[in-house]
Amino acid sequence: MIDPNLGFGSVGGLDEQMKEIRENVLFPLTNKEEFAEWGVEPVKGIIFHGPPGTGKTLLAKALAAELSRLTDTPYTFFYRKGTDCVQKYIGWTEAYLKQVFDMAKASQPAILFFDEIDGLCSKRSNSE
């Protein structure tokens, strides 16, 4: 559940990123009719990147709260760690991800946030 008091005002120091999100995500999603007239579809996803502790998760939660307020429709926020997606047996990871995306689709509108996605990738070894 997203804190209803959360919003972009709760995020400090990311003014440029919030401006980009307002222009590329909030505006198209809150003005779907105008964009449909122009033949433009709203974005389906965005990628936040940066070192730990820079506000990526807070920004995503603030986005969900802002969209819920602006559209009068509660957005569901799904948070998953990348390492939680990796399963032990062949095919289980794909089944788990399908389940997560199916839950998000059933709970539309929704924001699906994968954190620490680099945990899905193996580190390259240096054989020297």
Side-chain angles (χ1 to χ4, degrees):
M1 185 74 166
I2 295 295
D3 181 359
N5 298 319
L6 190 63
F8 286 145
S10 306
V11 179
L14 298 175
D15 296 331
E16 186 62 33
Q17 290 80 3
M18 287 187 286
K19 178 180 175 253
E20 292 288 329
I21 289 172
R22 281 188 183 103
E23 291 174 2
N24 296 306
V25 179
L26 278 177
F27 187 67
L29 286 175
T30 56
N31 298 290
K32 290 181 182 180
E33 297 81 24
E34 289 87 355
F35 277 79
E37 288 176 16
W38 301 331
V40 177
E41 287 188 34
V43 296
K44 299 279 187 205
I46 55 175
I47 296 177
F48 297 146
H49 65 90
T54 55
K56 298 178 296 292
T57 305
L58 179 61
L59 196 56
K61 288 179 180 179
L63 173 62
E66 290 283 342
L67 282 168
S68 295
R69 261 193 300 283
L70 292 172
T71 60
D72 293 326
T73 306
Y75 270 66
T76 308
F77 185 81
F78 291 94
Y79 175 88
R80 297 291 184 268
K81 283 196 173 193
T83 53
D84 294 342
C85 298
V86 178
Q87 303 294 316
K88 184 175 180 179
Y89 298 106
I90 294 174
W92 285 20
T93 298
E94 293 83 358
Y96 175 77
L97 288 173
K98 182 181 182 322
Q99 180 184 14
V100 169
F101 278 92
D102 286 346
M103 284 186 334
K105 187 173 185 177
S107 302
Q108 285 183 14
I111 291 180
L112 184 53
F113 185 80
F114 287 101
D115 198 8
E116 300 174 8
I117 200 75
D118 55 330
L120 294 174
C121 305
S122 62
K123 292 183 179 180
R124 290 186 179 184
S125 63
N126 190 355
S127 59
E128 294 179 40

